[in-house]
């Protein structure tokens, strides 16, 4: 807080601004500094779309690879939350509450004998549009997003056994997301063969802008190890979630 106050006060007087304030603290310089330090030559973007930042970065990265603008991409991400704050999330329960990922095209990875942890079949992104509140999600747009992503890949919905959700542990967020998941996969799953839904936030907390890639990493590890970790501190399902359906 004090740091922000000092930065704010200094910015009000142009004669008092430190020499390297812009190049040292500007958000646009975060990705630029990495490119400068490591001598990266491809596109660089500092992206902020709140909790969806890392997944939108992943989406843009995949588009860049498809367009052959880049041959490999690094997605650094981090969270500045304390360990205490990171333990507060309990997704889908009745309680409300610096990493880097490398991307490379599959042919290049095979040609260079790189280890392939997982293959991204498709990415997609949309926005909720006008909802009752600017932070309130939309079931219909989330439903459309899931369906359109599967259509892009040509995958059958019934082949999916696990769904890694956003799962913020909020009343409106969890119920809306669960309703969207049910709307899509409820057509192809039964009580005898249910869809398993999880959220890594119960294990490591909400990493905010980095949360999406944390979920990707968890899902990759599930595929590698054949084990789906449970949502910790899950005691009772949110009554607004159609679990039995």
């Amino acid at each position: 807080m004090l740091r922000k106050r000092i930065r704010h006060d200094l910015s009000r007087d142009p004669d008092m601004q430190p020499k390297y304030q812009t190049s040292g603290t500007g958000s646009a310089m975060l990705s630029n500094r990495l490119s400068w330090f490591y001598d990266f030559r491809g596109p660089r973007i500092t992206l902020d779309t709140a909790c969806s930042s890392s997944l939108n970065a992943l989406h843009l990265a995949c588009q860049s690879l498809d367009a052959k603008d880049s041959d490999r991409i690094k997605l650094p991400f981090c969270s500045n939350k304390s360990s205490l704050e990171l333990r507060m999330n309990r997704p889908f329960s009745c309680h409300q509450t610096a990493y880097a990922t490398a991307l490379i095209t599959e042919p290049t990875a095979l040609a260079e004998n790189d280890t392939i942890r997982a293959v991204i079949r498709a990415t997609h992104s949309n926005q909720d549009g006008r909802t009752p509140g600017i932070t309130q999600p939309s079931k219909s747009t989330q439903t459309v997003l899931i369906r359109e992503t599967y259509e892009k890949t040509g995958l059958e919905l019934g082949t999916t056994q696990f769904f890694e959700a956003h799962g913020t542990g909020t009343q409106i967020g969890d119920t809306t997301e669960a309703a969207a998941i049910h709307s899509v996969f409820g057509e192809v799953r039964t009580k005898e063969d249910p869809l398993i839904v999880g959220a890594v936030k119960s294990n490591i907390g909400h990493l905010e802008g980095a949360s999406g890639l944390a979920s990707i990493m968890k899902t990759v590890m599930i595929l590698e190890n054949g084990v789906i970790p449970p949502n910790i501190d899950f005691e009772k399902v949110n009554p607004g979630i159609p679990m039995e359906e």
Side-chain angles (χ1 to χ4, degrees):
M1 182 64 71
L2 179 60
R3 180 183 175 186
K4 289 183 178 180
R5 179 62 182 272
I6 294 174
R7 180 179 173 184
H8 172 72
D9 291 343
L10 289 174
S11 65
R12 298 178 64 183
D13 187 351
D15 294 329
M16 293 294 293
Q17 288 185 0
K19 181 178 180 180
Y20 298 105
Q21 177 172 330
T22 301
S23 61
T25 64
S27 59
M29 297 301 294
L30 293 175
S31 55
N32 191 59
R33 185 167 295 280
L34 288 174
S35 296
W36 172 80
F37 185 85
Y38 290 106
D39 195 27
F40 293 155
R41 305 298 177 90
R44 61 95 185 168
I45 297 174
T46 301
L47 188 147
D48 182 3
T49 59
C51 301
S52 62
S53 295
S54 60
L55 287 186
N56 273 318
L58 178 73
H59 180 56
L60 294 176
C62 289
Q63 290 180 328
S64 181
L65 290 173
D66 288 340
K68 295 182 172 55
D69 291 334
S70 309
D71 58 1
R72 64 187 67 231
I73 294 176
K74 286 282 189 180
L75 295 177
F77 62 104
C78 63
S79 172
N80 60 2
K81 280 196 168 187
S82 68
S83 58
L84 178 62
E85 292 176 302
L86 292 176
R87 292 301 300 274
M88 295 301 292
N89 293 82
R90 296 183 181 183
F92 306 114
S93 74
C94 60
H95 298 277
Q96 306 306 322
T97 60
Y99 309 87
T101 299
L103 298 180
I104 187 172
T105 59
E106 187 175 12
T108 302
L110 292 172
E112 297 182 0
N113 199 30
D114 289 334
T115 299
I116 300 177
R117 303 288 298 274
V119 176
I120 299 175
R121 297 289 296 271
T123 63
H124 200 24
S125 179
N126 69 2
Q127 217 281 336
D128 293 312
R130 189 173 183 86
T131 57
I134 193 169
T135 60
Q136 184 170 332
S138 165
K139 172 192 170 184
S140 61
T141 55
Q142 290 189 8
T143 300
V144 168
L145 180 65
I146 297 172
R147 291 191 183 279
E148 289 184 347
T149 304
Y150 271 78
E151 289 173 1
K152 289 173 68 174
T153 65
L155 294 175
E156 296 292 334
L157 291 170
T159 61
T160 297
Q161 296 178 308
F162 172 76
F163 191 102
E164 174 68 11
H166 186 43
T168 56
T170 60
Q171 179 66 35
I172 188 65
D174 280 4
T175 53
T176 300
E177 185 176 18
I181 295 170
H182 174 260
S183 176
V184 176
F185 293 96
E187 304 171 355
V188 295
R189 311 302 297 199
T190 64
K191 291 183 179 180
E192 293 72 28
D193 185 25
L195 176 71
I196 301 174
V197 179
V200 75
K201 291 178 181 63
S202 70
N203 304 98
I204 63 174
H206 194 339
L207 302 188
E208 296 183 340
S211 61
L213 282 185
S215 293
I216 293 287
M217 289 181 173
K218 170 196 169 182
T219 306
V220 171
M221 294 179 70
I222 288 174
L223 294 172
E224 290 180 337
N225 296 281
V227 177
I228 300 175
N231 293 339
I232 64 172
D233 295 330
F234 185 92
E235 299 171 358
K236 183 180 179 182
V237 68
N238 185 319
I241 296 177
M243 187 68 71
E244 294 301 319
E245 300 178 23

